[in-house]
Amino acid sequence: MKSVSEITVGATYNDTDVMFLQMLIDNLEQGQQMAKIAADRSARPEVVDLAEAVQVTQADEIKLMKGWLDEWNKPTVLDERVSLHADHGGMPSTGDEEIDSLKTIKKAQFETAFLNLFLAHQHNAVEFAQLELDKGANDLTKSFAERVKQSRTDQVQQMLKLLAG
């Protein structure tokens, strides 16, 4: 099996492929921040396990996507988060203030706040993936988008159960 850094994406791509990878890297880096806070602050082992699994998975995904953007000689970071890609169908990301609030919210309210915020955050990743599936040109990037869509949908379902429990 190839390591993440050995998977090449090929020369065929369009603006949607690039935008998808850039937006998802930003989304995953924010997800990493939230998951780290959750791993440190959550009381329930199921929430800690979810947060730790997210950190591991997303670290590999970030490395993979940055490698593909480097291969295309494209920047790996967004110029500005909120409105840069709006005219291309891009969506807003989770706000830094929302993430920071997880550090200071009362312990008793933390898990509900985290799960609600992270649920919406992971739903954004599903939306990014759908945009790629609809308008992307690169087969490997589209295949990756399908995996992201499925895994984040599964996580959303898991978080809904945790919120109900």
Side-chain angles (χ1 to χ4, degrees):
M1 190 164 127
K2 289 184 175 183
S3 78
V4 172
S5 58
E6 295 173 315
I7 301 171
T8 57
V9 74
T12 303
Y13 66 92
N14 65 15
D15 288 345
T16 300
D17 296 312
V18 173
M19 182 183 67
F20 163 67
L21 295 174
Q22 290 171 337
M23 288 191 316
L24 195 59
I25 288 169
D26 186 60
N27 176 276
L28 268 52
E29 287 174 343
Q30 289 185 318
Q32 294 280 61
Q33 292 173 35
M34 286 186 271
K36 182 175 180 352
I37 296 166
D40 293 341
R41 296 200 67 203
S42 292
R44 288 190 288 173
E46 304 90 343
V47 178
V48 173
D49 289 347
L50 171 68
E52 289 175 346
V54 162
Q55 289 182 77
V56 171
T57 302
Q58 292 187 353
D60 280 345
E61 290 172 344
I62 290 168
K63 184 186 283 185
L64 179 75
M65 292 185 293
K66 284 185 175 183
W68 290 353
L69 287 167
D70 286 345
E71 193 177 326
W72 293 336
N73 293 313
K74 297 292 179 184
T76 59
V77 293
L78 297 168
D79 290 336
E80 57 184 85
R81 211 175 254 161
V82 180
S83 61
L84 175 68
H85 295 299
D87 56 334
H88 297 289
M91 291 144 231
S93 57
T94 307
D96 292 331
E97 310 79 40
E98 294 171 294
I99 296 170
D100 286 341
S101 75
L102 293 174
K103 296 174 186 171
T104 57
I105 195 164
K106 288 186 172 89
K107 192 90 164 158
Q109 299 164 319
F110 174 78
E111 284 184 5
T112 301
F114 165 72
L115 289 169
N116 278 310
L117 183 61
F118 203 61
L119 199 145
H121 185 79
Q122 294 301 66
H123 182 74
N124 284 348
V126 171
E127 297 288 323
F128 298 160
Q130 190 58 56
L131 178 69
E132 171 62 19
L133 290 167
D134 292 343
K135 298 183 178 176
N138 183 277
D139 289 338
L140 198 54
T141 306
K142 288 174 84 156
S143 172
F144 176 68
E146 185 58 52
R147 285 198 321 270
V148 167
K149 181 180 172 184
Q150 187 59 55
S151 70
R152 293 340 182 253
T153 299
D154 291 347
Q155 286 176 3
V156 164
Q157 295 305 315
Q158 183 181 358
M159 287 184 277
L160 287 170
K161 286 178 189 155
L162 286 168
L163 279 167

